[in-house]
Amino acid sequence: MMIHIAGPVIVVHPGYMRQRCSWCGTVLVDYNLERVAVPEGQEPTPATWEFGGLVEVDGGMSTVVPHADGEPLPAGACALLDPAVTA
């Protein structure tokens, strides 16, 4: 289990979307938008994590970790690892 800091969503044409951890670069979201099926009438943009939010990744499962600005990072955050590991 590792907790990451969601970075900006980047879209590169012809249709790739990626979101990485702002601290260590782990890929949190990776879509080929040309292969995403969207029912008619539904918002075509896939879900992403809120920029700056904490995301716990545990195997294939990911979830939001509640956190208030200014509070210490929770145990398990990648930003607490030795900087040499995440550089």
Side-chain angles (χ1 to χ4, degrees), residues 23-75:
W23 187 259
C24 73
T26 293
V27 175
L28 302 174
V29 171
D30 192 20
Y31 291 110
N32 177 341
L33 299 175
E34 294 177 351
R35 296 187 176 268
V36 176
V38 181
E40 190 172 326
Q42 182 176 320
E43 168 63 37
T45 305
T48 59
W49 300 104
E50 180 181 351
F51 177 71
L54 299 184
V55 181
E56 179 180 4
V57 178
D58 190 2
M61 301 295 295
S62 301
T63 187
V64 171
V65 176
H67 181 263
D69 284 346
E71 290 186 0
L73 289 170

